[in-house]
């Protein structure tokens, strides 16, 4: 289980109207998936549009398509669209890793980082860096450098850190080791697992794993990204799995491996380093 951050879509149709049709699955999950689907539909349209942005007719059309889709269909759509973008991101990171292996020991870190950014800019069209935030007393923030505009639905960052599973969060002793969280670095997924951004230095490196550096903009502005839960596929039965050679760049791992019963809850169709 991991968390991705995608650029938000400005137009959100009436959630109250949509929510009235949601009896089974928890409301927050349905709304989150619905919003992510809207953003990703917009991403598809922007990529195909000569002008790089949707028309009012485009927005009405894909909004209607999302409105008429079931929650299960939207969930599959969101996972598939994010997976497609992550394949591109991880492939670019893999190229950077190959370059790293070829460097001589006398190549400076500054040169290495610059080469990495050049590859990411060429392959993905943008990269993200952590720098001092423009918000007062906010520490570091995440900043995008891009060749083109970033359409809604773009996966801009991954949330790194150790993953704490729901089955262990019921134990007081376990909870006492990760709480309190005064800086709000524990990110909750829809499956109730927690990703601890404070442990970002304990997981594999990925230049896009700066989701824990994204700050809330405050009450005077609208957030321009949203968090979306994502599962790296590893379904052996149907042969759907995230490429093995790209898995070392997933910036997460279990804080404690799931128990036998826990594996049945987590499922065997997803991958975790």
């Amino acid at each position: 289980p991991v968390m991705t951050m995608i650029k938000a879509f400005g137009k959100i149709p009436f959630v109250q109207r949509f929510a009235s049709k949601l009896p089974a699955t928890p409301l927050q999950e349905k709304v989150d998936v619905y919003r992510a689907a809207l953003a990703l539909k917009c991403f598809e349209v922007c990529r195909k549009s000569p002008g790089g942005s949707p028309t009012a007719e485009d927005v009405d059309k894909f909004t209607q398509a999302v409105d008429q889709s079931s929650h299960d269909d939207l969930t599959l759509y969101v996972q598939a669209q994010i997976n497609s973008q992550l394949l591109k991101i991880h492939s670019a990171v893999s190229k950077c890793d190959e370059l790293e292996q070829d460097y001589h020991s006398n190549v400076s870190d500054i040169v290495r980082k610059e080469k990495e950014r050049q590859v990411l800019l060429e392959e993905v069209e943008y990269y993200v860096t952590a720098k001092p935030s423009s918000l007062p007393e906010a520490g570091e923030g995440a900043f995008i450098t891009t060749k083109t505009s970033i359409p809604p639905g773009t996966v801009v960052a991954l949330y790194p850190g150790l993953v704490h599973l729901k089955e262990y969060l019921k134990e007081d002793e376990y909870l006492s080791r990760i709480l309190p969280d005064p800086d709000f670095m524990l990110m909750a997924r829809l499956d109730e697992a927690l990703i601890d951004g404070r442990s970002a230095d304990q997981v594999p490196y990925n230049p896009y794993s700066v989701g824990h550096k994204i700050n809330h903009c405050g009450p005077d502005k609208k957030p321009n990204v949203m968090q979306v839960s994502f599962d790296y596929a590893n379904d052996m039965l149907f042969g759907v799995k995230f490429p093995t050679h790209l898995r070392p760049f997933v910036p997460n791992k279990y804080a404690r491996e799931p128990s036998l019963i826990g594996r049945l809850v987590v499922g065997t169709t997803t991958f975790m380093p």
Side-chain angles (χ1 to χ4, degrees):
V2 301
M3 188 74 74
T4 57
M5 316 297 286
I6 68 173
K7 185 173 180 181
F9 175 55
K11 174 178 175 171
I12 301 298
F14 299 104
V15 173
Q16 292 88 346
R17 169 176 59 82
F18 176 71
S20 66
K21 302 183 291 183
L22 311 178
T25 307
L27 177 61
Q28 187 62 56
E29 178 178 345
K30 294 234 179 183
V31 172
D32 285 353
V33 170
Y34 178 76
R35 293 180 64 218
L38 279 177
L40 290 161
K41 285 287 187 184
C42 188
F43 176 86
E44 283 193 282
V45 171
C46 290
R47 285 302 188 188
K48 296 175 183 177
S49 172
S53 60
T55 64
E57 183 180 355
D58 289 331
V59 173
D60 288 339
K61 185 179 293 186
F62 69 67
T63 298
Q64 184 178 20
V66 171
D67 272 347
Q68 294 174 350
S69 299
S70 69
H71 172 70
D72 289 344
D73 285 344
L74 291 180
T75 299
L76 291 173
Y77 171 76
V78 167
Q79 293 291 305
Q81 290 299 313
I82 292 178
N83 184 74
S84 177
Q85 293 190 50
L86 286 179
L87 283 172
K88 185 176 182 179
I89 287 174
H90 282 273
S91 295
V93 175
S94 178
K95 283 191 176 183
C96 294
D97 186 64
E98 291 173 6
L99 284 176
E100 183 71 26
Q101 306 305 321
D102 294 336
Y103 288 142
H104 297 294
S105 58
N106 60 348
V107 177
S108 70
D109 289 342
I110 295 177
V111 172
R112 292 168 189 261
K113 183 60 69 176
E114 184 57 35
K115 291 289 186 182
E116 176 184 86
R117 291 171 179 173
Q118 288 176 7
V119 171
L120 298 179
L121 203 57
E122 184 64 31
E123 298 290 329
V124 188
E125 299 184 350
Y126 61 91
Y127 61 83
V128 189
T129 52
K131 297 189 293 186
S133 175
S134 57
L135 297 172
E137 301 180 7
E140 287 189 318
F143 295 84
I144 294 181
T145 300
T146 178
K147 293 173 64 175
T148 59
S149 61
I150 299 290
T154 301
V155 176
V156 295
L158 302 172
Y159 199 90
L162 297 176
V163 177
H164 300 278
L165 296 173
K166 178 183 177 181
E167 64 172 311
Y168 301 124
L169 296 176
K170 300 175 182 179
E171 303 173 10
D172 290 341
E173 182 181 351
Y174 190 95
L175 271 178
S176 68
R177 294 200 295 268
I178 62 175
L179 294 177
D181 175 30
D183 296 320
F184 305 103
M185 298 290 280
L186 288 170
M187 181 71 77
R189 279 176 40 100
L190 293 176
D191 59 9
E192 299 183 57
L194 294 179
I195 303 178
D196 192 349
R198 297 169 299 184
S199 57
D201 60 346
Q202 300 177 42
V203 297
Y205 170 73
N206 186 308
Y208 289 92
S209 59
V210 293
H212 61 311
K213 298 292 186 179
I214 297 177
N215 295 306
H216 184 59
C217 58
D220 300 329
K221 298 179 181 178
K222 290 185 178 180
N224 57 6
V225 296
M226 62 176 291
Q227 65 188 54
V228 181
S229 298
F230 174 77
D231 296 321
Y232 286 92
N234 190 40
D235 194 328
M236 303 302 292
L237 181 62
F238 294 99
V240 179
K241 57 182 182 178
F242 199 75
T244 304
H245 71 286
L246 299 180
R247 296 181 180 188
F249 309 110
V250 176
N252 304 95
K253 62 182 181 180
Y254 289 126
R256 184 195 292 182
E257 289 289 326
S259 65
L260 182 59
I261 295 177
R263 286 192 182 280
L264 297 177
V265 176
V266 173
T268 58
T269 59
T270 59
F271 160 77
M272 174 62 65

